[in-house]
Amino acid sequence: MVSLGCPKASSDTERLLTQLRAEGYLLVADYAEADLVLVNTCGFIDAAVQESLDAIAEAIAENGRVVVTGCLGAREQGEFIRRAQPKVLAVTGPQQDGATLAAIHSVLPPQHDPLQDLVPPQGLRLTPRHYAYLKIAEGCNQSCSFCVIPSMRGKLQSREPGDILREARALVAGGCRELLIISQDTAAYGADRRYRTAFAEGRPLRAHITDLCTTLAELGAWVRLHYVYPYPHVDALIELMAAGKILPYLDIPLQHGSPAVLKAMRRPAASDKTLDRIAAWRRQIPDLTLRSTFIVGFPGESEADFELLLDFLRAAQLDRVGCFTYSAVEGAAANALADPVPEPVKEERQRRFMDVQAEISAARLRRRVGQECEVVVDGFTESGELVARSAAEAPEIDGIIRLRPAAGESPQAGQRLWVRITDSATHDLQAEILAARAE
């Protein structure tokens, strides 16, 4: 299995692997042992498209029997991939599990042994045992001019609340201690269902993000929100964070700070109101962690627009930030916009942007020195230090907290510790262990 792209694609891979394992298939670690290679592709930007094509080419060269699925498979109903790699056995798009499984069955018929318990209750996961991505919806109803995700994954399709709760409960029962809530537009959960109430485990549960998070909080795991579009009802999520029900961490892709660029992006353009809301959230939760992503070099972005973005960044004082240069994606409305920004200018603006954010990040992390907090151990560095995270760090995308275990101690991945922050850098922290936390 080769899985590329975002956590939403990883969640799709986990679902496919769970079904395949239930049918008796086994996952192996290299091409030589495999009877078949399944590649889950990403098609969001040009770099991701090329990575997917390279992965398919490598799988064909190393194994020869390849089925392709995922977002890139939706381009031209699969013909884009077939032209590039005519030897692939089948091409399917996202949310086409039935077609993907049928393609695999045609090459390798399932060999299920009913005497063995092939699948753990929480399914097969690509993440460590102590955290998992929980996808609550597919698709998106937004019409951002730079994005083609709706054409690949369709309109918003929220999962039944009961199904989500059952999956979450199985994950926690299997040892998961952190649920990372994901979808293309997490705060929109339930809008396609008109937020109607369903019954989950014998009680009513409204298909709404605040109701869902309130219920998930009862399971005792950390609940962390990603990809939250800044709707007005996000303020209610802040109240849940203030009450300690979910982690005080919010991942909001703001994309830009210039009203003109935001309008061209078809994003909310009132950046001053966004700053007001951020200030209000921080008054309510002083230790709130805010993460966001931005695009520089969007068509028509002037130097003045970019300076407005830097001003926004300095005013917002976001904790964690990612920055991408604009990449034209086939089928995106932004491709028709005038005044494309030259590549050298895009790259120069990205460097300037990240220089500003590095100063902000370093300053905000310095404020945490001396604080005590709970962390979870993720693993170890080559030098033997522990790699850990607090509520303020999401796995894989944020900084880390380094710890030196005491002599004779060997904390394990997933273990909770109480620590004191002793030093900071631009993106990471150093801490000392005060005590282990009882599970």
Side-chain angles (χ1 to χ4, degrees):
M1 182 74 217
V2 179
S3 185
L4 306 172
C6 66
K8 294 180 287 297
S10 296
S11 180
D12 293 343
T13 296
E14 291 169 342
R15 188 178 63 248
L16 281 168
L17 288 178
T18 298
Q19 181 61 37
L20 288 168
R21 184 63 189 272
E23 295 175 349
Y25 295 89
L26 296 177
L27 190 68
V28 296
D30 57 59
Y31 292 119
E33 292 184 56
D35 296 305
L36 179 72
V37 180
L38 178 61
V39 181
N40 190 1
T41 59
C42 178
F44 185 47
I45 60 176
D46 288 347
V49 170
Q50 189 58 52
E51 182 184 23
S52 295
L53 292 177
D54 290 345
I56 296 167
E58 178 180 295
I60 289 174
E62 296 291 336
N63 183 278
R65 287 150 61 96
V66 179
V67 171
V68 177
T69 188
C71 285
L72 190 58
R75 183 178 290 189
E76 301 177 31
Q77 290 77 48
E79 290 305 313
F80 178 82
I81 290 175
R82 290 190 182 92
R83 285 199 303 273
Q85 295 292 343
K87 292 184 179 180
V88 296
L89 300 177
V91 180
T92 64
Q95 305 173 61
Q96 295 182 353
D97 291 10
T100 305
L101 293 169
I104 294 170
H105 295 162
S106 68
V107 181
L108 296 175
Q111 300 291 325
H112 175 58
D113 182 357
L115 300 179
Q116 292 183 321
D117 182 10
L118 298 172
V119 182
Q122 69 273 24
L124 299 182
R125 297 282 156 177
L126 303 179
T127 52
R129 180 171 177 261
H130 61 279
Y131 70 82
Y133 293 100
L134 180 61
K135 185 160 63 170
I136 62 173
E138 286 283 4
C140 182
N141 288 344
Q142 302 298 333
S143 57
C144 302
S145 62
F146 54 83
C147 184
V148 294
I149 293 298
S151 68
M152 294 179 174
R153 290 186 173 264
K155 293 292 187 180
L156 178 68
Q157 302 169 58
S158 300
R159 294 179 62 192
E160 284 283 355
D163 292 344
I164 297 171
L165 186 56
R166 279 189 290 275
E167 181 179 351
R169 196 175 293 283
L171 287 168
V172 173
C176 179
R177 295 295 175 263
E178 180 176 3
L179 299 170
L180 298 109
I181 311 305
I182 58 171
S183 68
Q184 197 64 37
D185 186 0
T186 298
Y189 171 72
D192 57 314
R193 296 175 173 271
R194 298 186 179 180
Y195 308 117
R196 67 175 178 266
T197 298
F199 278 86
E201 300 181 347
R203 60 174 175 168
L205 178 59
R206 187 171 64 128
H208 192 282
I209 188 62
T210 54
D211 299 63
L212 181 64
C213 285
T214 300
T215 304
L216 292 175
E218 298 172 359
L219 301 180
W222 282 359
V223 177
R224 189 185 300 275
L225 298 179
H226 285 286
Y227 318 128
V228 179
Y229 199 84
Y231 299 107
H233 66 256
V234 170
D235 293 346
L237 295 174
I238 298 295
E239 294 179 5
L240 292 181
M241 295 176 189
K245 294 183 180 297
I246 61 177
L247 293 184
Y249 180 102
L250 202 55
D251 181 352
I252 299 184
L254 297 171
Q255 307 298 5
H256 214 279
S258 162
V261 174
L262 287 168
K263 183 177 180 180
M265 289 179 168
R266 301 177 187 168
R267 300 284 294 183
S271 53
D272 53 341
K273 291 185 178 179
T274 300
L275 291 173
D276 290 342
R277 293 182 75 193
I278 290 173
W281 293 342
R282 284 187 165 144
R283 284 193 296 271
Q284 194 169 357
I285 310 176
D287 62 347
L288 175 67
T289 299
L290 292 175
R291 174 178 178 78
S292 190
T293 52
F294 294 86
I295 298 173
V296 297
F298 193 78
E301 180 193 64
S302 65
E303 180 63 23
D305 289 321
F306 180 68
E307 289 295 338
L308 285 175
L309 172 57
L310 296 184
D311 290 344
F312 178 89
L313 194 63
R314 295 185 183 101
Q317 291 289 297
L318 302 172
D319 301 271
R320 308 289 186 182
V321 168
C323 178
F324 303 91
T325 58
Y326 172 75
S327 174
V329 180
E330 184 177 342
N335 296 344
L337 295 176
D339 302 321
V341 178
E343 288 298 325
V345 176
K346 293 180 188 178
E347 294 170 3
E348 187 265 345
R349 288 177 181 174
Q350 183 185 43
R351 287 193 296 269
R352 288 164 59 193
F353 179 100
M354 292 311 298
D355 285 345
V356 171
Q357 178 56 31
E359 295 176 2
I360 294 171
S361 175
R364 293 195 67 80
L365 290 181
R366 280 195 298 270
R367 296 168 55 180
R368 294 176 61 184
V369 173
Q371 295 179 355
E372 297 180 5
C373 63
E374 185 180 35
V375 302
V376 60
V377 176
D378 276 344
F380 301 85
T381 66
E382 292 183 358
S383 62
E385 287 184 306
L386 295 174
V387 175
R389 296 179 292 107
S390 71
E393 290 86 33
E396 301 178 353
I397 56 174
D398 291 338
I400 60 173
I401 301 176
R402 291 185 171 87
L403 306 165
R404 179 70 64 180
E409 294 184 351
S410 56
Q412 301 300 306
Q415 185 173 350
R416 298 289 175 86
L417 304 171
W418 192 255
V419 306
R420 179 185 294 115
I421 307 298
T422 58
D423 198 7
S424 67
T426 303
H427 301 292
D428 300 333
L429 294 165
Q430 191 78 31
E432 59 181 357
I433 301 173
L434 300 178
R437 304 288 284 187
E439 289 295 329

